[in-house]
Amino acid sequence: MSAEGTWFPPILDEYAGRVPTVGAEQHVELSEGSRVALLVPGSPDYLDVVMSLLAAGMFPIPLDPRLTPYERARILDHLAPDLVVETVEQLASMVANTPERFRNALPRARPMHVTSGTTGTPKGVFSGLLTHEQAAALVGEERDLWGFSADDVNLVLSPIYHSAPLRFAMGTTLAGGRVVMPGPFDPETVTAAIEAERPTTMFCVPTHLQRLFAHWDRVGTPDLSSFRLVAHAGAPCPDDVKRRLIADFPEGSTWEFYGSTEGQFTACRSEEWLARPGTVGRARPGRSLSLDDDGTIWCAVPAHARFTYFGDEQKTAAAWRGDSFTVGDLGRVDADGYLYLDGRREDLIISGGVNVYPREVEQTLLEHPDVADVAVYGVPDPEWGQRVCAAVVGRATERQLATFVRERLAPPKRPKTWTFLDELPRTLTGKVRRDELSRRSADGTAAG
């Protein structure tokens, strides 16, 4: 699919033929239901385009601009976008030619974020077009929970192609607030933004907090009194980091929530966590939780929060039971309805708040001719939460494999630790013992 094209909503006939092309001479026509892949860094223009596409009934597909050509092909071949945006010049042209009626208007869909899961095959999480009532309910739910208002200044720390930072930025903009994007995360830059912009809200992952606190220990903690909401998610938060967060930021301002690319489950004020250490909170308003006998978590959601896996009826059916969906995580719920995670599913590694699916990395490594077998797993890491590791059976060397994955996988997915074995540890039924590999790596006994 060519990256050339233009913002062109034919549903507005009066604009037909009057919108200039983007870049070269090719003219791509977009209409209600069109899919637009975004492979550019986050910026105010990025946010503008995402929101305008959604208001026009189109589906932005936010993707990591660092994806390799190999990864892009795997994703885009399945999702078949009508337009691929790869340059900031294209993005700026789309902003310049967006009809005013679509600016900051009610989104008629949710962005189509991509997840891999157990199969290793990227899947688009697809909301379909929402009715006006559903769209209003979607915006209202976020506003009511997080209190977005015209007085808000949202500080963006994570790449905005991720669902949570994009959702907070959109909620702020729709309420009439302001969004600040200081660029790739850097503790010094973020601290300067806090001092200069006086943000009121911020979404972060525990790694952000760890790096900020370490920086503030050296230079001093800035004035944090402007914050009314600091929400964190994406990975387990170490106890000491959580308590430092509560101590440093204004009373009542800090929250944790639990969710996935597919949807949101819970929200939890830090004061609730202090009373029940380890909880990720109770079901968000309008939702309810249930558990299978094995602890699998299901969440019943309203109509505006439903989804399908784009083009995959079988995977969609497996994720749903009535009006409840699951992503396979395990947990327990106490008598007051508070959820505790008993460990996320073993096919997921969370490194620096980024989801890495072992099966996707394994499938890539198995394409190397000198790899006979491989298992990818996570081990605890003090800075990133988990570190991506690979145990390999075969003749390939670490140098060869590092070069191989550099050409095929984005940086967060590339193994940081390589172990070479004669065979992988397996159960009697043939299942790889990732827990044993992780333990060996942690003990320094994985090589063999």
Side-chain angles (χ1 to χ4, degrees):
M1 177 64 64
S2 170
E4 305 298 337
T6 185
W7 167 263
F8 189 81
I11 56 174
L12 298 178
D13 293 336
E14 65 266 31
Y15 288 91
R18 295 204 290 136
V19 181
T21 59
V22 176
E25 297 180 357
Q26 185 175 355
H27 190 82
V28 174
E29 295 187 1
L30 301 178
S31 60
E32 184 176 284
S34 289
R35 298 177 298 282
V36 179
L38 301 174
L39 283 148
V40 289
S43 66
D45 279 355
Y46 189 108
L47 179 60
D48 193 320
V49 166
V50 166
M51 296 183 64
S52 298
L53 288 169
L54 293 173
M58 303 180 196
F59 298 90
I61 306 173
L63 295 170
D64 186 346
R66 300 172 299 175
L67 291 177
T68 66
Y70 172 92
E71 292 171 303
R72 293 185 186 196
R74 290 189 70 215
I75 293 170
L76 300 182
D77 285 353
H78 174 64
L79 299 182
D82 301 281
L83 175 65
V84 179
V85 177
E86 295 182 291
T87 70
V88 294
E89 291 78 15
Q90 288 174 288
L91 205 66
S93 182
M94 292 180 75
V95 170
N97 293 289
T98 297
E100 191 63 32
R101 66 192 294 180
F102 291 149
R103 295 190 184 280
N104 300 341
L106 189 69
R108 301 171 57 207
R110 305 202 308 269
M112 190 193 299
H113 292 279
V114 174
T115 183
S116 292
T118 56
T119 64
T121 303
K123 305 184 293 291
V125 179
F126 184 55
S127 69
L129 284 175
L130 304 176
T131 66
H132 179 81
E133 292 74 17
Q134 290 170 342
L138 173 66
V139 173
E141 178 186 34
E142 289 287 291
R143 181 194 61 231
D144 294 344
L145 178 60
W146 304 120
F148 297 130
S149 75
D151 296 327
D152 273 328
V153 178
N154 176 237
L155 178 61
V156 178
L157 271 60
S158 298
I160 204 165
Y161 60 81
H162 287 308
S163 59
L166 181 55
R167 196 168 67 250
F168 275 75
M170 287 175 57
T172 302
T173 302
L174 288 167
R178 184 164 61 92
V179 176
V180 175
M181 301 185 196
F185 181 81
D186 172 75
E188 185 174 351
T189 302
V190 171
T191 302
I194 291 173
E195 295 172 333
E197 303 290 349
R198 307 303 295 148
T200 61
T201 69
M202 180 173 76
F203 165 77
C204 54
V205 299
T207 297
H208 291 148
L209 295 172
Q210 289 173 299
R211 295 182 63 188
L212 284 172
F213 293 155
H215 178 66
W216 295 346
D217 285 341
R218 294 191 299 270
V219 305
T221 301
D223 179 3
L224 303 174
S225 62
S226 62
F227 282 100
R228 67 163 190 82
L229 170 66
V230 178
H232 71 88
C237 189
D239 187 90
D240 61 328
V241 175
K242 182 84 168 185
R243 294 183 184 278
R244 171 80 179 266
L245 170 71
I246 297 169
D248 282 9
F249 284 83
E251 183 178 357
S253 67
T254 62
W255 288 70
E256 180 174 3
F257 64 87
Y258 160 60
S260 66
T261 304
E262 289 84 348
Q264 302 305 303
F265 291 71
T266 70
C268 183
R269 289 184 179 274
S270 292
E271 289 73 17
E272 295 175 282
W273 181 89
L274 286 172
R276 299 171 175 81
T279 186
V280 291
R282 291 188 287 191
R284 287 169 54 132
R287 307 182 184 210
S288 62
L289 302 175
S290 61
L291 303 178
D292 285 344
D293 291 341
D294 65 357
T296 300
I297 305 165
W298 293 82
C299 183
V301 298
H304 65 261
R306 292 186 65 88
F307 68 89
T308 63
Y309 291 119
F310 184 81
D312 198 323
E313 294 182 2
Q314 184 175 356
K315 289 187 176 67
T316 299
W320 287 93
R321 188 166 65 195
D323 62 356
S324 298
F325 77 94
T326 186
V327 293
D329 289 347
L330 305 177
R332 52 193 168 84
V333 176
D334 69 16
D336 295 317
Y338 285 88
L339 176 66
Y340 298 77
L341 297 179
D342 286 337
R344 291 200 164 184
R345 58 193 190 271
E346 71 163 14
D347 66 289
L348 177 64
I349 300 169
I350 306 176
S351 184
V354 177
N355 289 352
V356 178
Y357 295 91
R359 186 59 182 152
E360 181 180 1
V361 182
E362 290 167 355
Q363 287 178 339
T364 300
L365 286 168
L366 286 169
E367 294 179 7
H368 193 287
D370 290 328
V371 172
D373 203 0
V374 63
V376 173
Y377 55 98
V379 299
D381 185 277
E383 181 175 3
W384 300 103
Q386 287 182 292
R387 183 172 71 255
V388 181
C389 303
V392 179
V393 177
R395 298 178 299 172
T397 66
E398 178 175 335
R399 183 174 181 179
Q400 291 172 330
L401 294 178
T403 300
F404 188 77
V405 297
R406 193 177 302 117
E407 296 170 348
R408 290 165 174 79
L409 296 173
K413 304 175 188 176
R414 299 170 191 165
K416 305 301 186 292
T417 300
W418 300 89
T419 299
F420 296 88
L421 303 173
D422 293 330
E423 62 179 6
L424 299 178
R426 295 181 181 273
T427 65
L428 293 176
T429 59
K431 185 177 181 181
V432 173
R433 290 287 307 276
R434 285 193 177 89
D435 58 337
E436 182 175 335
L437 290 170
S438 182
R439 179 186 56 76
R440 289 187 192 181
S441 292
D443 294 344
T445 59

